[in-house]
Amino acid sequence: MSREGSLEAPTRHPIDWRSEEFGDPAALDAEMRRVFEICHGCRRCFNLCDSFPRLFELIDSNPREDVEGVKSEAFSKVTEACTLCDMCFMTKCPYVPPHPWQVDFPHLMLRQRAAEARAGKKSFAARQLAEMDRNGRLAKLAAPVVNWASDKENKLTRPLLEKTLGIDAHVELPKFVSRTFLSQDRRQPIAPNKNAPAFGQREAALFATCFVNYNKPATGMAARAVLNHIGIETRAAYPGCCGMPFLEQAELSRVAEQAKKVRASFVSLSMKATTSSR
């Protein structure tokens, strides 16, 4: 007897993004209509992101008032509103695996975005903004100028950014720093508290993330200070962006590439820690 999802931890199946079916337009359209029909009948996620109100409006406003009456081209309105937060999958949907209906709304949105990317429908500006490491390295060379230009109070440059890159002129943008977290970590010696119980027994690797490294190094330094205070020696690592910006653009091959870089970096740190402890 099958059990309904959400009564236990959901089962997340890997994305088979290399398969032929993943990129097949007909298979994708059929799957979207299947899942959208389930969502339309349930509506438990109505108060999460804007994807669901948009979906329900598409269905309710067409003459047939069903999924079959919605044109496939309109599905992009639902896809673009998904933030890939996973809240619907993790906490709301009663039809996630192990339920036999196997609903995974965020992965379906990702699949649709991948199809749009292959069809050349992705924004050039959005793809360039996802290049976090390149943008961060360039911005730190002239951080004061970049921060001036991106300040939402700047009535000269922010309207221009909105017209050219689609960045809303009223949104607060993160500031860039001239000295990254890795740079600050190297300049300030690590000083684990010798009187703490964990001294000499624990080590921690801090993955900076692109935001902490280029925009908010104070967060990384604060984490390092707390760990050092309780006797834990820290090593900062930043082999590159984790790949989340590429995931949002459905560039799954780039996500896999970044994951390999991060994994290799942490395996190397682990091996060094093991060697030094002998």
Side-chain angles (χ1 to χ4, degrees), residues 3 8 23 31 42 53 67 73 116 125 137 141 181 207 222 239 241 243 253 268:
R3 297 185 62 187
E8 57 185 309
E31 178 63 7
C42 175
V67 177
E73 296 76 29
E116 292 177 350
R137 285 192 295 266
L141 298 177
F181 169 61
F207 177 54
C241 173
S253 61
S268 177

Side-chain angles (χ1 to χ4, degrees), residues 163-228:
K163 289 182 179 179
T164 58
L165 299 178
I167 301 174
D168 192 291
H170 301 93
V171 72
E172 187 80 40
L173 295 177
K175 305 300 181 185
F176 286 92
V177 295
S178 299
R179 288 179 55 197
T180 64
F181 169 61
L182 287 188
S183 175
Q184 293 187 33
D185 177 74
R186 285 192 295 265
R187 292 192 181 194
Q188 297 187 32
I190 301 169
N193 182 4
K194 295 182 179 180
N195 298 317
F199 179 74
Q201 301 182 43
R202 295 286 187 272
E203 289 181 296
L206 298 178
F207 177 54
T209 73
C210 51
F211 179 73
V212 168
N213 195 46
Y214 299 118
N215 305 108
K216 204 71 179 292
T219 300
M221 296 302 289
R224 196 187 80 158
V226 170
L227 290 169
N228 288 176

Side-chain angles (χ1 to χ4, degrees), residues 56-69:
F56 304 148
E57 175 63 21
L58 279 175
I59 297 174
D60 295 341
S61 62
N62 80 77
R64 293 181 50 171
E65 296 186 1
D66 62 11
V67 177
E68 295 307 315

Side-chain angles (χ1 to χ4, degrees), residues 16-226:
D16 192 12
W17 58 278
R18 293 186 178 92
S19 69
E20 291 185 7
E21 185 180 9
F22 184 84
D24 181 70
L28 172 59
D29 189 74
E31 178 63 7
M32 292 189 76
R33 292 181 183 279
R34 182 188 77 86
V35 171
F36 287 174
E37 181 69 33
I38 295 171
C39 293
H40 180 247
C42 175
R43 305 201 177 205
R44 187 172 173 178
C45 292
F46 76 96
N47 60 346
L48 293 182
C49 73
D50 202 37
S51 288
F52 298 99
R54 290 188 184 190
L55 171 60
F56 304 148
E57 175 63 21
L58 279 175
I59 297 174
D60 295 341
S61 62
N62 80 77
R64 293 181 50 171
E65 296 186 1
D66 62 11
V67 177
E68 295 307 315
V70 179
K71 294 182 179 179
S72 300
E73 296 76 29
F75 290 163
S76 60
K77 296 179 181 179
V78 179
T79 308
E80 67 183 9
C82 177
T83 63
L84 300 179
C85 72
D86 251 8
M87 287 292 290
C88 56
F89 182 87
M90 297 300 297
T91 68
K92 282 278 189 178
C93 182
Y95 305 119
V96 298
H99 191 281
W101 287 354
Q102 301 281 308
V103 172
D104 190 334
F105 194 88
H107 278 187
L108 182 60
M109 297 298 98
L110 197 59
R111 185 178 172 186
Q112 170 70 359
R113 288 184 184 180
E116 292 177 350
R118 284 192 300 273
K121 297 180 180 179
K122 281 296 179 181
S123 163
F124 173 79
R127 294 201 308 273
Q128 298 311 307
L129 290 172
E131 299 287 347
M132 301 302 295
D133 288 320
R134 181 201 62 191
N135 298 341
R137 285 192 295 266
L138 291 175
K140 76 175 183 177
L141 298 177
V145 175
V146 173
N147 293 335
W148 169 80
S150 63
D151 193 304
K152 69 177 183 179
E153 301 302 324
N154 192 323
K155 305 303 181 184
L156 175 65
T157 57
R158 285 306 298 269
L160 183 62
L161 286 176
E162 184 173 71
K163 289 182 179 179
T164 58
L165 299 178
I167 301 174
D168 192 291
H170 301 93
V171 72
E172 187 80 40
L173 295 177
K175 305 300 181 185
F176 286 92
V177 295
S178 299
R179 288 179 55 197
T180 64
F181 169 61
L182 287 188
S183 175
Q184 293 187 33
D185 177 74
R186 285 192 295 265
R187 292 192 181 194
Q188 297 187 32
I190 301 169
N193 182 4
K194 295 182 179 180
N195 298 317
F199 179 74
Q201 301 182 43
R202 295 286 187 272
E203 289 181 296
L206 298 178
F207 177 54
T209 73
C210 51
F211 179 73
V212 168
N213 195 46
Y214 299 118
N215 305 108
K216 204 71 179 292
T219 300
M221 296 302 289
R224 196 187 80 158
V226 170

Side-chain angles (χ1 to χ4, degrees), residues 256-267:
E257 179 184 333
Q258 293 303 111
K260 289 179 181 178
K261 288 182 181 179
V262 174
R263 176 186 177 278
S265 176
F266 276 86
V267 167

